[in-house]
Amino acid sequence: MPFSINEYAERIQKTKEQMVKEGVEVLLLSDPANMYYLSGYDGWSFYVPQLLVVILEEEQPLWIGRAQDANGARLTVWFHPDRIIPYSDEYVQSDERHPMDFVADILTQIGQAKRRFGVEMDAYYFTARSYERLRTGLPDACFQDATLLVNRIRMIKSSQEIDYMKRAGQIAERAMQTAMNTIAAGVRECDAAAAISHAQISGTSEYGGDYPAIVPLLPSGEKTSTPHLTWTDRRYRAGEAVIVELAGCYRRYHAPLARTAVIGTPSPLVRELAEVVAEGLNAALEVAAPGVSCEEVEAAWRQSIQKRGFKKESRLGYSVGLNYPPDWGEHTASIRAGDQTTLQPNMTFHLIPGIWLDSCGVEFSETFRVTGTGCETLSCFPRELVQRPAIPGIVPSLEESGA
């Protein structure tokens, strides 16, 4: 198992303490990251409704999910198999019945129908229909939003979690080097993406990688004016900038990393943007330390880039770590003006000070851990533009690219 029984027990205890503070008696978790965090369950089954049920008075949670995934639960969770409750396939994508009908029946059978429930109202995989069917099936229950109850507990990592993220950081380094070895004039964008994905999953010689929550983001040319585009089968051209944002992932823990390459000689604007972003990133990292607020870290960045006449409207970063598609962020603290979250040791953040103009953009990013005195980055890769060949040639093989 990825963690000891004692660590899972501590997580359950912290969750119950927070449940008491928020007046929740039964917690229904549908976020696969929170399910994994408290149970160890790890499967690509979140496309159908599934829940981890934490009952205040009971030592072990319940896993409720699709019958064909029940053996996956038995192979991954830390608690007794009797706590695994499957529903049959007649509930899957049916117009007549819904898995939450089954959940409501189970909760009624075990005497929980009239309690105060916490549900993750804003979780990706908890639908409006799921909520409606739960309320219909449990008419005497009270429901309240508990979307971030477990997410906030996850913000401060254990030593084992930090070790996993450091491994993810090393995988990210290797994947980024693969990207920079592959990108060149004449190379197809999809081939660069394939090489990156190979490196992410193969990992290092000591440990393999996991699938990341987000695919490689690879906007090129004019598309670097926006951060969240992926790839096509077009070929890179001389003079283009290419933004590479990716993550190493180990045991579902992520360490994102972003850099920018230029095919040939960078334009004066791109060169200036790179200098501004690197200076601002360094200024923010110098400030990050225990006792400092998220907004103070953002202020250091903002003051740095303002000296050069630039501004960034979007947030500078966010809490990061354990997650599943479609996002590696924890959805809690953001590094931006107004967020007064205080940094504490073993919090981890993705600091992504990209600047995107109408015609181009540049990104450098780091995942960092808050230490006892400051912060440390989880990857080591130069914070500068990487120049790549501008003369079309043979597409590098995976071996040649370092994948």
Side-chain angles (χ1 to χ4, degrees):
M1 295 184 66
F3 300 98
S4 69
I5 298 296
N6 286 340
E7 183 156 342
Y8 285 117
E10 290 174 4
R11 295 174 180 182
I12 292 289
Q13 182 59 35
K14 289 178 181 178
T15 299
K16 289 182 177 180
E17 289 171 1
Q18 192 60 36
M19 289 168 62
V20 171
K21 290 180 182 178
E22 297 187 20
V24 173
E25 296 174 307
V26 181
L27 181 62
L28 306 182
L29 298 171
S30 56
D31 184 330
N34 291 335
M35 294 180 68
Y36 175 91
Y37 184 73
L38 293 182
S39 74
Y41 178 67
D42 185 19
W44 193 286
S45 55
F46 40 83
Y47 64 94
V48 294
Q50 56 185 15
L51 290 176
L52 192 73
V53 183
V54 180
I55 300 173
L56 204 54
E57 299 82 6
E58 298 187 9
E59 181 180 356
Q60 298 182 0
L62 295 169
W63 179 94
I64 304 177
R66 189 179 183 182
Q68 66 178 230
D69 296 311
N71 281 341
R74 293 186 184 97
L75 291 169
T76 55
V77 304
W78 60 269
F79 45 81
H80 196 278
D82 287 350
R83 308 289 291 181
I84 296 169
I85 304 175
Y87 62 78
S88 66
D89 245 45
E90 66 179 349
Y91 288 94
V92 176
Q93 297 169 3
S94 168
D95 292 332
E96 299 174 355
R97 56 188 63 84
H98 192 274
M100 291 303 160
D101 301 340
F102 177 87
V103 170
D105 288 343
I106 292 295
L107 293 172
T108 300
Q109 290 173 29
I110 63 175
Q112 304 297 318
K114 298 182 179 181
R115 308 205 72 183
R116 182 175 293 277
F117 289 86
V119 293
E120 296 178 304
M121 296 289 287
D122 204 30
Y124 291 120
Y125 302 107
F126 186 69
T127 65
R129 190 176 182 212
S130 291
Y131 183 55
E132 286 185 347
R133 298 304 277 261
L134 268 179
R135 293 194 59 144
T136 299
L138 297 168
D140 297 321
C142 293
F143 290 90
Q144 67 185 69
D145 188 11
T147 299
L148 297 179
L149 189 152
V150 176
N151 298 57
R152 292 194 177 100
I153 295 169
R154 286 165 40 198
M155 287 182 67
I156 298 177
K157 312 297 188 294
S158 68
S159 58
Q160 185 69 73
E161 289 178 292
I162 293 298
D163 181 59
Y164 289 164
M165 291 191 69
K166 287 182 175 180
R167 292 187 179 193
Q170 293 181 25
I171 294 171
E173 285 177 27
R174 186 169 183 270
M176 185 61 72
Q177 189 61 61
T178 297
M180 297 308 174
N181 290 349
T182 305
I183 292 168
V187 173
R188 295 189 305 171
E189 293 176 348
C190 55
D191 290 319
I196 293 167
S197 295
H198 183 278
Q200 288 174 304
I201 296 172
S202 60
T204 72
S205 58
E206 291 80 23
Y207 39 83
D210 208 339
Y211 62 89
I214 302 176
V215 299
L217 301 175
L218 289 167
S220 61
E222 189 177 8
K223 292 179 180 179
T224 59
S225 62
T226 186
H228 297 141
L229 300 180
T230 54
W231 61 84
T232 69
D233 61 356
R234 69 179 288 273
R235 297 183 184 275
Y236 293 118
R237 301 170 184 170
E240 290 184 331
V242 183
I243 289 175
V244 181
E245 183 180 347
L246 52 78
C249 184
Y250 184 79
R251 296 289 181 98
R252 303 306 324 144
Y253 285 83
H254 294 75
L257 182 66
R259 291 293 186 269
T260 302
V262 175
I263 301 171
T265 303
S267 69
L269 178 55
V270 168
R271 190 185 298 276
E272 182 184 16
L273 278 178
E275 292 173 357
V276 170
V277 170
E279 289 171 6
L281 174 58
N282 291 335
L285 289 172
E286 287 174 5
V287 169
V292 174
S293 69
C294 285
E295 67 176 359
E296 289 176 303
V297 177
E298 190 277 339
W301 149 263
R302 182 162 25 90
Q303 292 164 10
S304 175
I305 67 172
Q306 280 178 347
K307 296 175 184 176
R308 304 285 292 268
F310 289 91
K311 64 179 181 179
K312 172 184 169 73
E313 299 292 346
S314 56
R315 64 180 179 175
L316 181 64
Y318 45 83
S319 184
V320 72
L322 161 66
N323 226 325
Y324 285 79
D327 187 24
W328 53 48
E330 292 181 324
H331 303 171
T332 50
S334 291
I335 301 177
R336 62 183 170 196
D339 193 322
Q340 298 180 10
T341 303
T342 301
L343 272 57
Q344 299 179 53
N346 279 3
M347 284 184 173
T348 50
F349 290 86
H350 183 208
L351 192 66
I352 181 160
I355 294 180
W356 304 280
L357 306 179
D358 288 339
S359 60
C360 64
V362 168
E363 287 183 36
F364 299 140
S365 84
E366 299 286 357
T367 297
F368 71 86
R369 173 180 80 99
V370 181
T371 66
T373 57
C375 72
E376 64 171 348
T377 58
L378 301 189
S379 299
C380 182
F381 203 91
R383 293 172 200 155
E384 58 189 22
L385 288 175
V386 177
Q387 288 188 247
R388 297 297 299 143
I391 300 175
I394 299 174
V395 177
S397 67
L398 289 176
E399 184 175 285
E400 290 170 335
S401 68

